[in-house]
Structures are given as structure tokens and as C-alpha cells.
Amino acid sequence: MKEDFVVHGVVLSEHSQREFDKRLSILTMEQGKMTVWASGAKRPSSPLMAGSRSFVFGTFSLKKGKSGYNLQSVKVDAYFEEIALDLEMACYAAYFLELADFVSQENLPAEEMVNLLYLSLKALLHKDIPNELVRAVYELRVLLLEGEYSELPPRSQRKAVHDAWEHVLGSPLQKLYTFTLEEGSLRDFCENVELLTQESFYKEFRSIKILNSLK
């Protein structure tokens, strides 16, 4: 008999399977990206219903089956339900999950990425930090994790932008979202991060297409 084991992470995406089941993509601290089957999770009475949704952070109890991993239970730490109340914010948040899904791998521990996602979603809810800045900080830190970053902004001479760049690359995660930029520097910083992101990740993200259409 195969025993349960526990991982900690976030649900990146959910997909319906048959009438009441779900297939989840979960990014875990211990084993990277995992595909997990949540049997009966769509039933209103299912104890798995609340914990098998995108943006859920928690502790997931799994069992290894013949065709993959099966979800046994979830201890939820955070839902981030407030994000869904704002369409633009929801697009940014969905993009964060999409990008994490794109760069993450199976069997490669992802503790820093999981924590980065958590702190970035929290930053989206902070009214004093522009969503554009949260996105740029998140992207630059992901580029750092992937080894695709540059030590200096590709096309900026502004001291504020250089200082922000150095802060994002060198700060502990808990200190990432502790600064803001005036409008000109913010635009410059975001444009430089976007340039580097587009050069490094050759993918058109669905959430960004929706976000651009809103603007």
C-alpha cells in the first residue's frame, strides 16, 4: 500500500476532468511542478473543493497512484479571493501563475518561486504599489532565478532605475516590494524589464493579451 506524502505549494491551474474531477498543476517547494488528480473535487460536498482552485497556497497531501499523484487533502494557507474582484488585478495575477508554470520544471525544488509568487500576489493587493511595478519586479526576479537577467538595465541611464534594478536583484524576497518610482522612472524601469523578458521567454501569454485589451 502506497503511503501519503506532503508537499507545500500553490495551485497554478485547474482543468475539469470528467463530470466531477479536476487535474491540477501544483508548484511545490519540494518537487517543483506536479500534475495532481483531484477526484470528486467539483462536487459541492467535496472536502477538496476549496483547496483545488488556482491561487490556493497550502499543504497538499498526495498519494502516488498508477497514473500519477492523487490529492487526498489540502490545508489551505491563503486563497487570494480578493484578486478575482478586480479584472485588471486578476489578469496580472493570472500572468504570474502562467509565467511560473512556463519556467518551472518537474523534480526541481521551487521554494523561492513559490515564496516569490506569494509575496507578489500580496503586493498586488497593496494599494500604494502600482500593478505595473509589481509585474516588473516579479519578472526581473524570475529572470534572476532562471539566470536570464542582466546586471544593469539594458537601455536606461536613470539613477532611480539603476537603483531599483540593483534592489530587485540583490534584496531578500521579503524586501522586494518596499519601494516605488515616480512616473517617468517607473515607465523606464518597466520597459527595460519587458525588453529583457521578451528576449528571454519566447511565449505569448494569454493573460497578457487580455490585459493589453483592457488597456
Side-chain angles (χ1 to χ4, degrees), residues 162-178:
H162 280 250
D163 289 346
W165 201 273
E166 181 180 351
H167 174 85
V168 173
L169 294 180
S171 295
L173 290 180
Q174 292 79 5
K175 300 290 186 179
L176 272 185
Y177 298 103
T178 56

Side-chain angles (χ1 to χ4, degrees), residues 80 114-124 173-174 177:
F80 286 101
V114 172
N115 288 329
L116 175 60
L117 269 172
Y118 178 77
L119 292 171
S120 299
L121 293 176
K122 282 190 69 176
L124 280 179
L173 290 180
Q174 292 79 5
Y177 298 103

